[in-house]
């Protein structure tokens, strides 16, 4: 069974169309269609129901999907293991990262790593922390650098690298900006602009309000902190942002509340063998030899 046929099959199953899969694999649509036709001929079974431009897995396709992912995972692991026998730092290093970590913490490490090991292809993907977490569980990336989950899955290995202090902020013109010794109850009276409720950051804040049996009045939602910062700066509500991105456009509120720290770090799947490039990059992060 040709692994290239399996890669095409998995890409179509995940993207729901031949055209999207062809774009992902940098193939023409006829080329990817031919791979599926050959795979279906070999298995003597139809793998997709074609409904207009969309496709859906048949029963045979559903059975193959889980097996194909296992096969391709083993092939990739074998390739990494064989390459690592020589001790060379080469190949591809796939990293999923949140926008905040990727933009404000990783750049000096990525620059230093690429300078030391130019033969390694860096494959960087910007995702929400929660999505990156899921992708690591599925074995799609070597490592992820994200806001760490409040409860860690036992299948993952993680390490905290930085502690991101969060501050309650508003625009200098907001009604809350002139008040001191604020309580969470004061904030409940005003709309908040936060990431989605399923994000680790918003869960952290919601837990504070829940413990005091206070409502968290969610006004607008955005998972991009720079967008939240803009909305706050024009006075549309209060929010919680990391110290690193707070500037003169925002006012830090005087809240009677202990400092809020969220852990940032890396995760990887405990059952996925890290190649030499991934191990060296994690060593670089852990040693923190660069002033980030």
């Amino acid at each position: 069974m040709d692994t290239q046929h399996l890669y095409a099959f998995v890409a179509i199953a995940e993207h729901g169309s031949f055209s999207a899969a062809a774009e992902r694999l940098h193939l023409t649509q006829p080329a990817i269609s031919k791979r599926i036709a050959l795979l279906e001929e070999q298995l003597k079974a139809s793998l997709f129901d074609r409904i207009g431009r969309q496709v859906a897995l048949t029963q045979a396709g559903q059975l193959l999907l889980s097996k194909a992912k296992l096969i391709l995972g083993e092939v990739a692991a074998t390739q990494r293991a064989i390459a690592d026998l020589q001790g060379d730092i080469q190949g591809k290093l796939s990293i999923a990262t949140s926008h905040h970590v990727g933009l404000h913490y990783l750049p000096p490490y990525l620059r230093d790593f690429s300078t030391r090991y130019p033969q390694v292809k860096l494959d960087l993907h910007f995702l929400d922390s929660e999505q990156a977490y899921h992708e690591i569980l599925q074995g799609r990336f070597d490592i992820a650098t994200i806001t760490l989950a409040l409860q860690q899955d036992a299948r993952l290995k993680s390490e905290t690298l930085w502690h991101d202090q969060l501050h309650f902020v508003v625009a200098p013109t907001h009604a809350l900006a002139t008040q001191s010794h604020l309580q969470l109850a004061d904030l409940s009276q005003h709309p908040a602009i936060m990431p989605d409720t399923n994000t680790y950051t918003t869960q952290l804040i919601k837990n504070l309000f829940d413990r005091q049996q206070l409502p968290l009045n969610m006004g607008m939602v955005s998972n991009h902190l720079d967008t939240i910062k803009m909305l706050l700066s024009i006075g549309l509500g209060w929010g919680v942002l990391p110290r690193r991105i707070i500037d003169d456009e925002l006012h830090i509120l005087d809240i009677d509340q202990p400092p809020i720290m969220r852990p940032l770090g890396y995760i990887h799947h405990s059952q996925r063998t890290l190649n030499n490039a991934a191990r060296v990059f994690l060593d670089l992060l852990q040693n923190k030899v660069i002033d980030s």
Side-chain angles (χ1 to χ4, degrees):
M1 191 175 293
D2 192 320
T3 57
Q4 297 305 313
H5 297 169
L6 292 179
Y7 279 119
F9 166 73
V10 171
I12 295 168
E14 291 182 342
H15 287 76
S17 76
F18 279 63
S19 58
E23 184 177 350
R24 172 183 167 182
L25 297 178
H26 306 292
L27 297 170
T28 63
Q29 191 163 333
I32 204 167
S33 296
K34 182 176 180 180
R35 292 186 182 186
I36 297 305
L38 291 171
L39 187 57
E40 290 179 325
E41 180 181 346
Q42 184 178 19
L43 295 173
K44 295 180 172 56
S46 177
L47 300 174
F48 295 104
D49 287 325
R50 280 81 167 173
I51 307 171
R53 294 188 176 183
Q54 297 299 308
V55 295
L57 288 170
T58 63
Q59 187 174 2
Q62 292 173 0
L63 177 62
L64 177 61
L65 183 59
S66 60
K67 302 295 184 183
K69 288 181 177 180
L70 290 174
I71 292 169
L72 294 176
E74 287 299 318
V75 169
T78 301
Q79 291 172 333
R80 290 194 300 269
I82 291 174
D84 288 348
L85 286 176
Q86 301 179 22
D88 295 332
I89 313 299
Q90 58 183 357
K92 182 175 76 172
L93 172 58
S94 59
I95 303 173
T97 184
S98 69
H99 287 80
H100 181 61
V101 175
L103 294 176
H104 297 281
Y105 286 88
L106 277 193
Y109 297 95
L110 293 172
R111 181 177 59 244
D112 187 63
F113 181 84
S114 62
T115 299
R116 295 188 192 190
Y117 309 106
Q119 64 273 36
V120 175
K121 178 184 177 183
L122 282 173
D123 183 29
L124 191 64
H125 296 259
F126 284 86
L127 305 172
D128 292 342
S129 290
E130 296 72 26
Q131 185 182 357
Y133 190 93
H134 174 74
E135 295 294 312
I136 290 292
L137 281 173
Q138 298 300 312
R140 295 195 178 101
F141 299 106
D142 293 316
I143 60 176
T145 55
I146 58 173
T147 301
L148 297 180
L150 302 181
Q151 294 183 334
Q152 188 73 51
D153 190 292
R155 293 169 291 176
L156 299 180
K157 292 185 178 179
S158 67
E159 178 152 341
T160 300
L161 298 172
W162 308 282
H163 287 93
D164 214 19
Q165 184 169 358
L166 301 176
H167 294 272
F168 292 92
V169 293
V170 293
T173 56
H174 193 280
L176 290 170
T178 59
Q179 302 180 42
S180 58
H181 304 296
L182 289 163
Q183 306 293 324
L184 293 183
D186 299 314
L187 272 60
S188 287
Q189 308 304 313
H190 299 267
I193 302 175
M194 304 282 288
D196 193 84
T197 53
N198 66 349
T199 62
Y200 305 140
T201 298
T202 299
Q203 288 175 14
L204 189 66
I205 302 305
K206 189 175 185 303
N207 288 343
L208 295 178
F209 280 76
D210 287 346
R211 284 198 288 270
Q212 296 189 25
Q213 298 182 326
L214 293 169
L216 178 57
N217 180 10
M218 297 283 285
M220 297 187 215
V221 171
S222 173
N223 285 355
H224 293 282
L225 296 185
D226 288 329
T227 300
I228 292 176
K229 177 184 174 183
M230 181 276 293
L231 295 171
L232 295 176
S233 70
I234 60 176
L236 298 184
W238 65 267
V240 178
L241 291 177
R243 186 67 186 90
R244 282 190 173 223
I245 68 171
I246 297 173
D247 56 23
D248 293 341
E249 293 183 330
L250 295 171
H251 172 79
I252 297 177
L253 293 173
D254 179 17
I255 301 284
D256 288 337
Q257 176 71 36
I260 304 171
M261 310 295 287
R262 64 174 186 173
L264 309 178
Y266 71 78
I267 60 172
H268 66 86
H269 204 298
S270 60
Q271 296 176 340
R272 177 176 175 134
T273 303
L274 293 176
N275 59 18
N276 287 344
R279 286 197 291 267
V280 167
F281 187 73
L282 290 185
D283 286 343
L284 188 64
L285 290 176
Q286 289 170 319
N287 293 332
K288 295 188 180 180
V289 295
I290 299 172
D291 182 11
S292 63

